[in-house]
């Protein structure tokens, strides 16, 4: 029986790797996740045959286990089915936090057993359990904070005086108690409790000062960390599937995090250790030339309908307003009049790389109309209109011009190079990062205030009326 | 216990595998892939189940219960979220081919 279970785990790990590979191509991606899903299901069912589990329905462990599986699955299933596509990033953070929490809880049970006088499996095992516990706990509490921020439950980026010093002190304290727990013979129960409380607080404190604009990178980082925590607990439990799957996620997640951080031109250390927009915002406000000019929807519609080329720059505001379907409708109308319409997607537009692509694909926009930064930037000077909808920092020219700006050096979409720029924006406030956008004050920019979906509907009405 | 050097070998090879597997991913798939790898570490469920099966006493049972519930949430939520995202590409594709 044991051999059979090990064989199942082996095949599961292999299918996970193949599944991830398939998920990196649009054609095979769907097949990849379905295969991985089947493998996970089989592995879970096979685990009921493990020697540690008493397969007797009168057994309290089994009863509670089944209840836990049903409750956890049901809550996750319903929430994942119901959540709007726009809120997906924070749900990923949430499910990731659950995984980290589970890894930490596994370590907790093992350490509590050791504190109760159970026989130790050696120093290496204890050290790995503690490492997985720290990483899992930080990933858990950090993901919860990330969720709260993206969901809007927690609006402000909190930054205590001497925040970095406190974090370093916390980290040192976690390290000390982690060492005491890992080397304890027997392990002190009090130390285990203090250790976990400190690790959870550390996750909260690390995530609190990070602004929403950096959240995609942070969620990706926590995803990689959870993978590592799972791998470490896999060593503790002597479970090959957990070791391999966890490590693969750990390394691929790290690579993904690097790709994202690179796209934002912000080293990961900056993301973690400096607050975005909290001090740079004030400095950037000083010398803005010009003023914001308002435009009516009808005038904007005429400008686009009689142009040759329109480039649409969507951002998170489009996602919030669910304006992608209206945009597609407007695109069809404009194309019927012979206007060339394209979409320009910044690598970090929205809350995650690819977020905009997903939403536009949902609305039925063709792939070849959606271009990324390098492809579209040379086209802006030939565009009659750049329509910026709900995007802000990714079109802010200070990233090119002002070395003092926190976003200086970040590659941006050169929307300001278009003949005319129309910005659809809900209000006059600064962007998510709190940095003033000089594009809004430029001579060739005009503002169309209003909710994204309504504004595009007005544009559609305007084009139809011509 | 897989110990010593063999454990390190597994760790190293898995790490390189993860790196290789996603080294050429189009930006368009970054979010679904992150969600997909989020699902894959839901395998922590089998570990949580084993620990739960071994748990003794109220405290261990409680922590075990939390572990299993959260792990199941990770696996199921990660799967549903990924499939929902990828389905959008699925429905968009035939349209795209028709247009060409």
């Amino acid at each position: 029986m044991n051999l059979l279970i090990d064989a199942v785990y082996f095949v599961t790990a292999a299918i996970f790797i193949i599944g991830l590979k398939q998920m990196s191509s649009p054609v095979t991606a769907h097949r990849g996740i379905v295969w991985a899903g089947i493998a996970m299901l089989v592995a879970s069912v096979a685990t009921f045959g493990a020697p540690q589990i008493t397969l007797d329905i009168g057994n309290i462990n089994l009863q509670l286990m089944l209840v836990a599986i049903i409750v956890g699955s049901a809550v996750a299933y319903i929430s994942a089915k119901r959540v709007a596509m726009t809120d997906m990033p924070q749900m990923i953070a949430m499910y990731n936090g659950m995984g980290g929490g589970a890894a930490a809880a596994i370590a907790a049970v093992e350490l509590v057993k050791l504190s109760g006088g159970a026989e130790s499996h050696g120093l290496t095992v204890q050290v790995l359990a503690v490492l997985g516990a720290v990483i899992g706990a930080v990933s858990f509490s950090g993901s919860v904070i990330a969720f709260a921020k993206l969901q809007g439950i927690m609006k402000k980026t909190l930054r205590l005086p001497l925040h970095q010093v406190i974090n370093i002190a916390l980290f040192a304290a976690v390290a000390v108690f982690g060492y005491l727990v890992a080397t304890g013979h027997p392990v002190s129960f009090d130390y285990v409790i203090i250790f976990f409380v400190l690790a959870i607080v550390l996750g909260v404190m690390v995530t609190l000062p990070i602004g929403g604009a950096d959240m995609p990178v942070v969620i990706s980082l926590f995803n990689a960390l959870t993978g590592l925590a799972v791998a470490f607990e896999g060593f503790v439990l002597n479970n090959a599937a957990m070791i391999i799957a966890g490590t693969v996620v750990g390394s691929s997640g790290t690579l993904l995090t690097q790709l994202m951080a690179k796209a934002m031109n912000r080293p990961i250390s900056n993301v973690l250790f400096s607050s975005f927009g909290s001090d740079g915002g004030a400095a950037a406000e000083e010398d803005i030339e010009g003023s914001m000019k308002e435009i009516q929807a009808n005038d904007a519609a005429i400008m686009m309908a009689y142009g040759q080329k329109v480039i649409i720059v969507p951002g998170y505001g489009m996602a919030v307003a669910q304006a992608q379907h209206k945009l597609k409708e407007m695109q069809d109308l404009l194309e019927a009049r012979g206007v060339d319409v394209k979409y320009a997607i910044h690598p970090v537009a929205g809350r995650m790389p690819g977020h905009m692509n997903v939403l536009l694909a949902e609305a039925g926009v063709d792939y070849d109309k959606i271009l990324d930064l390098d492809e579209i930037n040379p086209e802006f000077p030939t565009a009659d209109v750049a329509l910026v909808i709900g995007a802000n920092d990714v079109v802010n020219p200070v990233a090119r011009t002002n070395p003092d700006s926190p976003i200086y050096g970040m590659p941006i979409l050169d929307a300001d190079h278009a003949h005319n720029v129309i910005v659809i924006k809900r209000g006059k406030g600064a962007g998510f990062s709190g940095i003033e956008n000089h594009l809004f004050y430029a001579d060739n920019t005009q503002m169309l205030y209003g909710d994204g979906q309504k504004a595009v509907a007005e544009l559609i009405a305007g084009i139809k009326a011509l | 216990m897989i110990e010593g050097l063999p454990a390190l070998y597994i760790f190293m090879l898995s790490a390189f595998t993860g790196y290789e597997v996603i080294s050429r991913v189009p930006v368009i798939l970054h979010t679904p892939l992150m969600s997909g790898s989020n699902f894959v570490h839901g395998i922590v469920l089998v570990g949580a189940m084993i620990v739960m099966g071994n748990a003794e006493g109220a405290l261990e049972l409680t922590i075990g219960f939390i572990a299993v519930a959260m792990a199941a949430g990770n696996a199921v939520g990660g799967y549903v979220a990924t499939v929902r995202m990828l389905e959008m590409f699925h429905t968009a594709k035939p349209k795209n081919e028709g247009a060409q």
Side-chain angles (χ1 to χ4, degrees):
Chain A
M1 196 61 193
N2 243 338
L3 190 68
L4 181 67
I5 294 173
D6 281 341
V8 168
Y9 287 164
F10 176 80
V11 174
T12 302
I15 291 178
F16 280 164
I17 293 171
I18 297 168
L20 277 177
K21 181 76 201 163
Q22 291 187 326
M23 271 184 253
S24 50
S25 153
V27 187
T28 53
H30 195 261
R31 200 186 318 152
I33 182 70
V34 171
W35 273 88
I38 294 170
M40 182 83 80
L41 191 65
V42 172
S44 310
V45 172
T47 304
F48 281 110
Q52 291 91 341
I53 295 175
T54 316
L55 259 192
D56 169 13
I57 202 67
N59 180 281
I60 182 76
N61 292 35
L62 185 71
Q63 290 169 353
L64 284 174
M65 189 190 302
L66 290 173
V67 172
I69 291 176
I70 291 167
V71 170
S73 305
V75 170
Y77 182 83
I78 293 168
S79 60
K81 275 280 180 197
R82 283 204 180 155
V83 69
M85 231 352 116
T86 40
D87 293 337
M88 224 29 137
Q90 53 262 46
M91 292 318 290
I92 296 177
M94 201 57 181
Y95 301 136
N96 176 53
M98 287 177 166
I106 289 173
V109 174
E110 294 295 313
L111 293 173
V112 167
K113 268 189 191 303
L114 287 176
S115 76
E119 196 191 339
S120 170
H121 296 286
L123 182 65
T124 322
V125 175
Q126 264 174 265
V127 169
L128 286 171
V130 165
L131 275 179
V134 179
I135 299 172
V138 167
S139 172
F140 166 70
S141 56
S143 295
V144 171
I145 298 294
F147 171 83
K149 285 198 170 197
L150 289 180
Q151 189 71 18
I153 298 170
M154 189 183 288
K155 290 223 168 74
K156 279 193 175 162
T157 53
L158 188 95
R159 201 175 168 80
L160 303 173
L162 297 175
H163 201 107
Q164 291 318 330
V165 178
I166 295 173
N167 278 2
I168 290 167
L170 254 178
F171 185 80
V174 171
V176 168
F177 279 95
Y179 174 81
L180 290 175
V181 171
T183 56
H185 290 291
V187 176
S188 154
F189 182 72
D190 293 343
Y191 287 171
V192 173
I193 299 286
I194 297 172
F195 164 71
F196 273 103
V197 170
L198 285 172
I200 287 173
V201 173
L202 179 66
V204 173
M205 291 295 284
V206 165
T207 321
L208 271 182
I210 298 172
D214 281 334
M215 265 323 155
V217 182
V218 175
I219 294 174
S220 176
L221 184 66
F222 284 146
N223 187 37
L225 285 180
T226 301
L228 260 189
V230 171
F232 286 151
E233 298 313 324
F235 280 113
V236 173
L237 296 174
N238 197 12
N239 186 309
M242 280 170 73
I243 296 173
I244 296 171
T247 312
V248 166
V249 172
S251 68
S252 64
T254 306
L255 178 61
L256 203 55
T257 310
Q258 281 174 344
L259 290 177
M260 288 186 202
K262 206 172 150 198
M264 296 172 76
N265 202 22
R266 279 170 65 71
I268 294 167
S269 58
N270 275 18
V271 172
L272 288 178
F273 301 119
S274 75
S275 164
F276 200 52
S278 66
D279 36 44
E285 270 174 42
E286 297 158 4
D287 50 346
I288 299 176
E289 292 170 18
S291 59
M292 291 200 207
K293 295 166 290 294
E294 202 174 335
I295 189 173
Q296 296 306 314
N298 284 340
D299 299 326
I302 290 170
M303 208 187 266
M304 287 193 292
Y306 289 104
Q308 309 241 302
K309 189 193 229 175
V310 172
I311 299 176
I312 300 172
V313 183
Y316 188 63
M318 180 200 81
V320 172
Q322 291 284 353
Q324 63 270 27
H325 298 281
K326 288 282 173 202
L327 274 180
K328 165 71 173 154
E329 198 183 333
M330 188 184 80
Q331 174 202 338
D332 290 342
L333 280 173
L334 287 172
E335 280 174 344
R337 299 180 64 94
V339 184
D340 183 16
V341 182
K342 282 177 176 155
Y343 294 82
I345 310 290
H346 191 276
V348 294
R351 288 291 182 272
M352 283 193 174
H355 195 186
M356 293 297 122
N357 306 67
V358 171
L359 295 175
L360 291 174
E362 182 197 12
V365 176
D366 287 343
Y367 287 137
D368 53 353
K369 292 279 174 196
I370 305 173
L371 304 176
D372 54 17
L373 190 109
D374 296 332
E375 295 170 318
I376 198 77
N377 262 349
E379 296 202 28
F380 275 108
T382 62
D384 296 289
V385 178
L387 179 70
V388 178
I389 171 163
N392 193 338
D393 296 326
V394 297
V395 290
N396 193 343
V398 296
R400 284 196 309 256
T401 55
N402 182 0
D404 294 331
S405 170
I407 60 168
Y408 179 72
M410 179 174 96
I412 57 158
L413 291 164
D414 298 327
D416 53 326
H417 290 177
H419 298 310
N420 294 289
V421 182
I422 298 171
V423 178
I424 299 178
K425 201 169 177 303
R426 206 186 308 203
K428 294 188 181 183
F432 206 67
S433 63
I435 305 164
E436 279 292 345
N437 194 333
H438 287 225
L439 173 70
F440 300 164
Y441 298 89
D443 289 338
N444 57 343
T445 302
Q446 300 181 74
M447 311 294 290
L448 179 57
Y449 291 113
D451 170 75
Q453 198 178 149
K454 269 194 205 137
V456 179
E458 283 168 22
L459 288 175
I460 290 171
I463 297 168
K464 277 184 180 162
L466 292 175
Chain B
M1 173 73 190
I2 311 164
E3 264 184 273
L5 273 183
L8 269 180
Y9 280 127
I10 295 178
F11 192 69
M12 177 195 73
L13 292 174
S14 305
F16 279 118
T17 307
Y19 208 84
E20 270 308 305
V21 155
I22 72 145
S23 57
R24 280 178 297 274
V25 182
V27 175
I28 186 169
L29 280 177
H30 275 178
T31 303
L33 188 69
M34 190 206 286
S35 180
S37 63
N38 181 28
F39 161 72
V40 164
H41 65 53
I43 191 69
V44 71
L45 176 61
V46 300
M49 287 170 68
I50 288 170
V51 164
M52 180 79 186
N54 254 343
E56 290 160 5
L59 179 62
E60 288 180 27
L61 274 175
T62 309
I63 306 174
F65 184 88
I66 295 171
V68 174
M70 289 207 287
N74 180 185
V76 173
Y79 181 80
V80 176
T82 311
V83 166
R84 272 189 64 190
M85 267 184 242
L86 289 174
E87 265 169 2
M88 292 181 175
F89 296 109
H90 217 59
T91 52
K93 221 172 50 195
K95 237 184 234 172
N96 192 14
E97 281 162 4
Q100 277 167 356

